[in-house]
Amino acid sequence: MKKGFAHFFLAVSCLFFSPLYSQTGVTGLQASLKPGADTAKMEWFGDAKLGIFIHWGIYAVNGIDESWSFHNKKIGYADYTKQLKGFTAAKYDPAAWADLIKESGARYAVLTTKHHDGVALWDSKQKHYSIPANTPAKRDVATPFFKALEERGIRKGAYFSLIDWSYPDYPGFLKDSSRYDATKDPARWKKFSDFNKAQITELSQRFNPDLIWFDGDWEHSAEEWDAPGIRQLLLSRNPKAIINSRLQGYGDYETPEQHTPVTRPKGHWWELCMTINDNWGYQPQDTAWKTPADIIDIFADAVGSGGNLLLDIGPRQDGSIPDKEVEVLKELGAWNKKYGEAIFGTVGGLPKGHFYGPSTYSKDSTTLYLFLAGKPTGQVMVKGLSNSIKQIRVLGTNQTLPHRIVGKISWSKVPGLVFIDIPPTVTDKYMPVLAIDLVGKINLYGGHGGL
Ligand code: H79
């Protein structure tokens, strides 16, 4: 059977683009130990499309950059740590957080269990800063959230910073200073490394996370972190755990940060993490809010390119969530509810050039979903679609639309152009979506238009 261009592209990208994704023929735990080898465990992640990232920590007290503010000397370290005294979690309602996440349509959530500042959100047994031990909140704020996620069938993600600028045996601290050189004092580095692994083990045992989101790997090599050892300790407990790319080559998927990719990332699995304003944590002066329309454009674009969106919120120190963030999550949720068929459980759609907008395929690639970015009211065009069309449905309604095939020359294998007139009845607050049910699996012509 003739393979469509998209299938060819997928197959080729799996084979060549990344050594992470080319291993086959190993099963079970052994397979999971090889980064990217266990495609079965990635299935829920590929289907999930939307995750909610939560940056919550003492940096919300003053409303300053998480950890980076003292690292970059915007504030002295002593003043930074004073924020411990102001973190109350007084209005923290983990069930309400989880309900909001569920309402957004997200299938997973990732909580900062510890940022680069070293303050753990759970009651770590290691001797170091934590919310329960050092703040007026006086309790583990991570466990009840993970429990609330579990109760709602939302996958659990634990963000954990490999960097810990507060730990006395971590080599770096401020951007231009160091306590010692890890390569010259391996015994001291080992003290840190043992501590770090002990905390990662606690995370794994306590929360059994579906996903571990490491950050800060750039400060040391895979060898220094013992990235293979960290991977092994996580997967020996839960072989199905997914690890993001920030483990110096030992992760399962790519994590572009803040910037929407223009070309598809190399790896088969990827996730764009992005803030709703310009900052990860709560910062009251930051009013650069992306609108729900902006977020839906960004989300559809990521999903159309085969990726996920991990959308960040930054609760206040008391656990309340800013109204603008609540609004974005609710609007996104209403849109997802209407158009979920085109999003969840689909795969990235048409390669560039076929359609001016995002698109996805059903997993069996017999339905093509067109996202009508910009809410066009004229006609839209699809190029290079060789399949016949069974019907075109307007999602969220029971309308169907006719189409015209234009410029099909009988003796040529080049398909005609598909034109679809979008009547004024096709409306949506943000972005309508069409489903094109095809005869057979999608089959694309990607040539130069010659004979
Ligand atoms: O937690 C949020 C941020 O605090 C953290 N990741 C998100 C999820 C983050 N902030 N900045 N970065 C990650 C990237 C930092 C990159 C830099 Fe560098 C570190 C620029 C300079 C030092 C890496 C190493 C890139 C250049 C050198």
Side-chain angles (χ1 to χ4, degrees), residues 53 55 66 68 115-116 159 213 215 218 246 257 273 280:
F53 212 168
H55 274 70
E66 66 290 345
W68 294 92
H115 205 266
H116 315 327
Y159 169 107
W213 212 104
D215 204 4
W218 57 80
R246 301 190 185 178
E257 178 168 326
C273 57
W280 296 97

Side-chain angles (χ1 to χ4, degrees), residues 305-345:
S305 296
N308 290 0
L309 175 66
L310 181 62
L311 184 64
D312 182 71
I313 58 173
R316 298 184 187 88
Q317 61 76 19
D318 64 7
S320 59
I321 300 174
D323 288 348
K324 287 281 184 189
E325 295 178 344
V326 172
E327 184 199 342
V328 164
L329 265 58
K330 288 191 169 178
E331 290 294 287
L332 190 52
W335 187 80
N336 278 331
K337 214 168 186 173
K338 198 166 164 193
Y339 301 115
E341 180 192 327
I343 299 159
F344 304 105

Side-chain angles (χ1 to χ4, degrees), residues 129 154 332 340:
Y129 289 128
I154 304 168
L332 190 52

Side-chain angles (χ1 to χ4, degrees), residues 146-162:
F146 286 122
K147 187 165 169 283
L149 293 179
E150 216 167 76
E151 286 165 0
R152 288 158 184 79
I154 304 168
R155 298 274 184 169
K156 297 171 293 181
Y159 169 107
F160 182 82
S161 169
L162 290 168

